[in-house]
């Protein structure tokens, strides 16, 4: 039985120059065919799926209208057994929130919202090419709370060109004033096939690792002092507010993924749907294979992923199968905390998590 469902909605009000998620600017002509295709995918592969968690991600799921979201959720409800659903998350861009939409989503069973605020500084939001202002993000947050949403995550980005550490601390403090349940704080990465990557390659943007480490340390200090637990390197939650969907994914649980570019891992096979909305629709309508990638993963995760994902979480990883000499060296240098049955990153190790994981592999 598969217990986790991801649905990828590839539309955004406007494409941000740093983002490499599969998405396109919203196109009214394609939307209904896309929604029909998702429901057809549920018909074709929803058997054996009784979700405990659902995650509508993107893109921007709330780029869909209230009616379209209603159609999609009702359609999924009619096809899948929701009786054991515990967490239903939807990602939102602050520019796509309205009272009507928030109320309809909560009524349909959504019980967690993840909103991309990124920064509370208007100049930085402009640098990031965001479609919303800081005050619009604040208004949207209050709309969600007033509509009765009791579990809200806010996404923030640090290490943005032009952002000082003081400005970042200020963004964290302003986030805390709103009392969200969860905060995801991501270090800006320059992803291939983005405008930011080109600007990085041309030398306009210069990464500053030492400064990124400082941003990271400030994040840990400010959020832990406010009662958030860093249960994964980029994710901080109030007690009991960890994202169950992401935890399942990091722990290697099977999951189904609907929509273009969505991954599924089931019964030792990982597949990815084609990252092209028109082609995804065509293949689903024609009853053709919608995957353009597949690999075998007998235990749900590859050994390298067990280390890479596990090390980023507060539980760490088992030392089984890892060279004890490497563990001793990393422990002696202050990057790892080792007990007989667990290896965990220290604070110093968290600053260079990917490099530590690479050493362990
Ligand atoms: C799918 S978006 C969230 C919802 C919505 N699309 C929005 O942007 O408001 C997921 C999150 O990934 C983060 N993100 C995207 N590209 C990133 C990058 N290159 N570096 C760091 N974080 C990034 C942003 O914080 C963003 O909120
Ligand atoms: S950050 Fe969010 S709104 Fe911006 S392009 Fe990516 S998915 Fe779309």
């Amino acid at each position: 039985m598969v217990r986790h469902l991801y649905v990828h909605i590839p539309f955004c009000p406007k494409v941000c120059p740093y983002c490499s998620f599969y998405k396109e600017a919203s196109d009214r002509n394609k939307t209904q065919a896309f929604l029909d295709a998702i429901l057809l995918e549920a018909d074709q592969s929803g058997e054996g799926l009784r979700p405990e968690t659902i995650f509508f991600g993107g893109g921007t799921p709330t780029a869909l209208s209230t009616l379209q979201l209603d159609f999609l959720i009702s359609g999924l409800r009619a096809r899948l057994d929701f009786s054991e659903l515990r967490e239903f998350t939807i990602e939102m861009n602050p520019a796509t929130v309205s009272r009507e939409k928030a109320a309809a989503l909560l009524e349909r069973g959504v019980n967690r919202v993840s909103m991309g605020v990124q920064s509370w500084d208007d100049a930085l939001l402009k640098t990031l090419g965001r479609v919303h202002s800081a005050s619009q993000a604040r208004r949207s947050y209050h709309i969600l709370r007033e509509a009765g949403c009791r579990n809200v995550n806010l996404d923030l980005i640090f290490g943005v060109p032009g952002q000082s550490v003081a400005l970042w601390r200020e963004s964290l403090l302003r986030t805390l004033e709103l009392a969200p349940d969860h905060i995801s704080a991501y270090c800006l990465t320059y992803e291939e096939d983005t405008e930011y990557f080109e600007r990085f390659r041309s030398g306009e943007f210069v990464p500053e690792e030492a400064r990124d480490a400082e941003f990271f340390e400030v994040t840990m200090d400010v959020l832990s002092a406010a009662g958030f637990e860093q249960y994964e390197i980029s994710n901080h939650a109030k007690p009991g507010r960890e994202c169950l969907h992401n935890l399942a994914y990091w722990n290697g649980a099977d999951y189904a993924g609907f929509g273009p570019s969505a991954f599924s891992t089931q019964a030792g096979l990982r597949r990815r749907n084609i990252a092209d909305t028109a082609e995804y629709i065509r293949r689903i309508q024609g009853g053709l294979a919608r995957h353009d990638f597949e690999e075998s993963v007998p235990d749900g995760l590859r050994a390298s992923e067990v280390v890479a994902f596990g090390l980023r979480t507060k539980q760490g990883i088992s030392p089984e199968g890892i060279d004890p000499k490497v563990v001793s060296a990393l422990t002696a240098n202050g990057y790892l905390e080792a007990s007989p049955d667990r290896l965990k990153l220290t604070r110093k190790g968290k600053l260079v998590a990917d490099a530590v994981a690479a050493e362990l592999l």
Side-chain angles (χ1 to χ4, degrees):
M1 183 67 71
V2 178
R3 301 292 197 175
H4 309 283
L5 170 65
Y6 175 77
V7 181
H8 191 81
I9 317 283
F11 308 118
C12 288
K14 173 179 168 277
V15 169
C16 307
Y18 54 86
C19 176
S20 67
F21 288 104
Y22 175 65
K23 78 283 169 193
E24 47 189 74
S26 303
D27 172 358
R28 280 183 196 193
N29 296 326
K30 233 184 251 171
T31 321
Q32 188 56 42
F34 164 79
L35 297 172
D36 290 338
I38 295 276
L39 297 184
L40 263 176
E41 188 171 11
D43 287 333
Q44 290 166 8
S45 52
E47 213 185 300
L49 175 60
R50 191 185 299 151
E52 280 174 18
T53 70
I54 298 179
F55 196 105
F56 276 16
T60 303
T62 48
L64 297 174
S65 68
T66 304
L67 271 180
Q68 289 164 341
L69 285 163
D70 190 37
F71 174 84
L72 182 60
I73 298 173
S74 316
L76 288 175
R77 264 189 193 280
R79 288 162 175 81
L80 306 175
D81 181 351
F82 275 30
S83 63
E84 289 177 22
L85 189 60
R86 294 172 61 199
E87 180 188 272
F88 187 167
T89 303
I90 187 162
E91 286 188 327
M92 291 187 170
N93 176 305
T96 58
V97 179
S98 68
R99 279 178 207 288
E100 185 205 19
K101 202 178 277 183
L105 286 169
L106 294 173
E107 200 169 302
R108 288 277 169 218
V110 170
N111 58 13
R112 183 172 184 273
V113 167
S114 177
M115 187 165 76
V117 168
Q118 323 308 356
S119 171
W120 295 107
D121 180 76
D122 280 333
L124 223 53
L125 288 172
K126 208 164 169 201
T127 304
L128 286 166
R130 299 289 293 178
V131 277
H132 58 87
S133 62
S135 62
Q136 190 174 11
R138 194 168 303 104
R139 243 186 345 265
S140 296
Y141 179 85
H142 289 306
I143 286 176
L144 293 172
R145 289 304 204 191
E146 281 157 22
C149 187
R150 293 214 291 271
N151 198 355
V152 180
N153 167 58
L154 299 179
D155 286 339
L156 299 172
I157 297 187
F158 62 85
V160 182
Q163 185 183 33
S164 65
V165 174
L167 199 59
W168 170 239
R169 183 189 289 277
E170 176 72 22
S171 254
L172 289 168
L173 294 174
R174 288 174 75 174
T175 306
L176 290 174
E177 278 166 20
L178 295 175
D181 305 275
H182 188 290
I183 298 173
S184 298
Y186 300 112
C187 181
L188 177 72
T189 51
Y190 294 100
E191 305 283 345
E192 270 185 56
D193 294 327
T194 64
E195 183 192 318
Y196 263 38
F197 185 74
E198 293 311 315
R199 293 169 76 179
F200 161 71
R201 227 175 32 179
S202 72
E204 182 189 342
F205 291 158
V206 183
E208 292 180 53
E209 277 165 28
R211 214 190 42 156
D212 285 349
E214 216 182 317
F215 280 117
F216 196 67
E217 297 230 36
V218 167
T219 311
M220 292 193 281
D221 289 342
V222 172
L223 298 186
S224 69
F228 282 80
E229 185 175 34
Q230 186 180 23
Y231 70 106
E232 195 269 350
I233 285 203
S234 305
N235 288 287
H236 307 254
K238 285 278 177 156
R241 293 303 203 187
E242 295 87 358
C243 174
L244 302 178
H245 185 85
N246 285 341
L247 279 174
Y249 176 68
W250 297 323
N251 288 330
D254 276 1
Y255 58 94
F258 295 167
S261 83
F263 279 92
S264 305
T265 301
Q266 283 173 47
L269 196 64
R270 178 179 304 161
R271 294 164 141 188
R272 190 183 77 151
N273 285 353
I274 189 157
D276 176 330
T277 306
E279 181 60 14
Y280 163 80
I281 295 170
R282 197 184 70 79
R283 290 191 185 190
I284 292 274
Q285 283 173 344
L288 307 168
R290 57 195 179 275
H291 313 106
D292 64 352
F293 166 86
E294 87 176 34
E295 66 180 347
S296 154
V297 277
D299 299 318
L301 289 178
R302 284 187 265 124
S304 58
E305 291 168 339
V306 173
V307 172
F309 291 159
L311 208 54
R312 293 175 62 91
T313 65
K314 70 172 183 196
Q315 287 87 6
I317 56 172
S318 153
E320 227 179 87
I322 295 181
D323 184 349
K325 285 201 286 296
V326 177
V327 172
S328 300
L330 288 167
T331 311
N333 288 321
Y335 294 110
L336 272 186
E337 202 182 283
S339 66
D341 62 343
R342 272 353 257 171
L343 301 177
K344 294 182 192 174
L345 289 172
T346 57
R347 188 178 163 97
K348 181 177 166 189
K350 285 178 185 170
L351 303 178
V352 286
D354 292 347
V356 175
E359 290 281 318
L360 291 172
L361 284 168

